Each structure stands twice: as C-alpha cells, then as structure tokens.
C-alpha cells in the first residue's frame, strides 16, 4: 500500500511540476534603443502584458498550453522613431487574443507623438479605402471602428509613404479577418 501511495504522490508531483514549467510558452521580442524614455515606456508595456498573462493563467490546467508572443516592427521617418508591437496570447477559449500598440518618439523634441490632426479627413479617407477591402464584411463595424476619434486612430506609425494605421481585431472587421492596416498619406491630414 505504501508503494502505491508513494507512486501516486510521485505521479502527482511530476504532473504538478510539468504543468508549472511546461504548460506555457513565452516569446517576447522588443527593441532596446539609445533613448531612455522610449526604453522605459517599452518596458512598462511589456511588463503589463506579462503580468496580465500570468494573472490569466493563474489557475493553469494540465491539458492546455498557454502562450504569450510579442513581436514588433520598427520605422524611421525624419526624426521620428516608430514601433508597432503585435501581442498574441492564449489563456483558454476558442482562439488566441490579439492586441496592438504603437509608439512614436520625436527625437528632436524628446517627446512621444500619440495622436494625429484632422481626424474627420483621416476617418473619411480610411472609410473610403477600407470599404474596398474584401475582409470588410460588416460596414457597421467599419463605420463604428473608423469614427473620427483618437481611440480609433491611436495605433499608427510614421513611414516614408504616410501614416500607417493599425486596426485591432473586432475594431472594423470580425476576428477572422485578422489585423488590418492602412497607409494614409500625410497630405490627407493637411488638406483643407
């Protein structure tokens, strides 16, 4: 009887250790720059997603594998460094969750740029171009997700061709459509 109890204790401990160490995968890539403010803000956001992930998997089960992946793309335009971060995390459910955030750092003025001007014009341009995208299957979602608000147009980077706006899943189309982005030329913002 002692052997059976010891065997089950060993088996339980083995499963517990396995679940504690192997039931999640984390892969985080992010830039380290020469700019303290930019590094600090990046660290804060990355830490936020790590804490959120570990909070979500607190009650981990042996049968699920949980994941957190963070990647980024970087852009340089004039004196502005821009980054877009792509977050994918699975903590149970039908599919992974996705999020996007961006940073635009003005080197000359040592400050972040987090909004654009003339949202009415940008919204109109976005709607007229995105409606042509075959992934847009619900115009109600499109019009709601492109209303001229800072929240709808907060995820953007500066590129050589214009602002590159990123729209989160469910913002302008169903989850299955994926992340959608659109370049809006700088001249659109300036037109009167």
């Amino acid at each position: 009887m002692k052997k059976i109890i010891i065997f089950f204790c060993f088996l339980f401990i083995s499963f517990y250790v396995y679940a504690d160490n192997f039931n999640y995968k984390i892969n985080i890539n992010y830039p380290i720059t020469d700019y303290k403010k930019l590094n600090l803000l990046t660290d804060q956001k990355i830490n936020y997603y790590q804490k959120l992930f570990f909070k979500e998997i607190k009650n981990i089960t042996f049968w699920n594998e949980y994941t957190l992946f963070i990647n980024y793309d970087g852009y340089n335009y004039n004196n502005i460094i821009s980054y877009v971060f792509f977050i994918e995390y699975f903590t149970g459910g039908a599919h992974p969750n996705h999020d996007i955030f961006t940073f635009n750092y003005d080197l000359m003025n040592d400050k972040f740029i987090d909004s654009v001007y003339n949202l009415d014009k940008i919204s109109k341009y976005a709607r007229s171009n995105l409606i042509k995208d075959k992934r847009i299957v619900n115009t109600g979602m499109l019009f709601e997700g492109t209303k001229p608000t800072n929240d709808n147009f907060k995820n953007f980077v500066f590129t050589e061709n214009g602002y590159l706006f990123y729209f989160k899943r469910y913002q302008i189309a169903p989850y299955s459509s994926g992340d959608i982005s659109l370049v809006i030329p700088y001249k659109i913002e300036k037109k009167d």
Side-chain angles (χ1 to χ4, degrees), residues 119-135:
L119 284 173
D120 288 330
K121 291 177 184 175
I122 289 174
S123 171
K124 185 177 178 182
Y125 183 91
R127 286 176 177 175
S128 65
N129 284 274
L130 288 169
I131 197 120
K132 300 170 194 171
D133 191 320
K134 294 183 190 312
R135 295 173 292 174

Side-chain angles (χ1 to χ4, degrees), residues 40-85:
L40 182 62
L41 190 57
T42 301
D43 288 344
Q44 288 172 347
K45 287 294 266 190
I46 298 297
N47 288 335
Y48 165 79
Y49 282 101
Q50 285 178 309
K51 286 178 185 175
L52 178 66
F53 177 72
F54 284 114
K55 180 180 176 187
E56 293 280 327
I57 67 167
K58 197 165 145 181
N59 298 318
I60 197 168
T61 61
F62 177 73
W63 295 274
N64 286 322
E65 180 175 273
Y66 303 100
T67 57
L68 171 64
F69 303 122
I70 300 177
N71 283 303
Y72 73 96
D73 285 332
Y75 301 87
N76 289 304
Y77 175 72
N78 291 342
N79 291 308
I80 300 170
I81 298 174
S82 296
Y83 292 106
V84 56
F85 295 85

